Amino acid sequence: MSAVAKALHLRHPELATEATNGEESQPAQANSPLIRCGNELVAVMSMPAPIPQDPGLWARAARTWPESEAVATDHQGHIIVSLLGKSERPLVAARLTTAVIGALIATVPECCGVVWAGRVARAADLWLETSRWSLAPYPDYSLPIAVELVASGRVQDVY
């Protein structure tokens, strides 16, 4: 997680970032599942199984990512990324989570795709590139991804 936090800081130097164990009185642990992003905590949890199959998800994804169904069939595990707590500002939560997922993909190049709340699937390379702009001020951030993400939910799977 410390490598993901470092990648996040390199990609978004304006964001105060650190791997943390969630307890202020103890030092951060490299294997902690939490990353502090400004005043928010983002959980990153490894799941040693494929995401549940949803033919509708892959049919929608194939419109912009023709290889999606083949990639979905071959993956062996996934990572869940979620902002902890209830955010009063869904766009802020989506932008932070998008940034963390981009840093995760930059750190773990074996990632092949991102599924957002079981409704939206995108190729990892597309996510890696567009997530660079997730914290940019309006109008420079990736509006199409932000709209999809806010509309679909908060829990994400990276596989």
Side-chain angles (χ1 to χ4, degrees):
M1 290 313 303
S2 61
V4 174
K6 287 177 186 175
L8 182 59
H9 184 69
L10 286 172
R11 293 168 59 88
H12 303 283
E14 72 281 8
L15 180 63
T17 306
E18 68 176 325
T20 178
N21 62 7
E23 298 177 19
E24 300 300 328
S25 62
Q26 297 181 7
Q29 299 175 2
N31 62 352
S32 169
L34 302 176
I35 296 177
R36 180 173 300 284
C37 300
N39 294 326
E40 304 288 346
L41 284 174
V42 178
V44 180
M45 300 162 283
S46 179
M47 305 300 283
I51 62 172
Q53 288 298 312
D54 175 357
L57 169 68
W58 302 114
R60 290 188 305 275
R63 294 178 192 147
T64 58
W65 181 22
E67 303 85 11
S68 63
E69 290 187 66
V71 169
T73 301
D74 293 339
H75 82 284
Q76 300 297 310
H78 64 285
I79 299 169
I80 297 175
V81 179
S82 182
L83 189 72
L84 294 183
K86 186 173 184 175
S87 177
E88 301 282 327
R89 303 174 302 168
L91 184 57
V92 171
R95 293 174 78 188
L96 274 178
T97 307
T98 298
V100 171
I101 293 170
L104 181 63
I105 294 168
T107 306
V108 183
E110 297 83 10
C111 291
C112 53
V114 176
V115 173
W116 193 280
R119 296 184 186 108
V120 176
R122 295 289 178 258
D125 57 347
L126 172 68
W127 199 279
L128 181 65
E129 182 56 34
T130 57
S131 66
R132 288 186 180 280
W133 307 106
S134 65
L135 300 180
Y138 177 82
D140 295 329
Y141 61 85
S142 177
L143 186 60
I145 284 186
V147 169
E148 286 180 342
L149 304 185
V150 171
S152 64
R154 293 186 339 162
V155 177
Q156 296 61 247
D157 294 306
V158 182
Y159 61 96

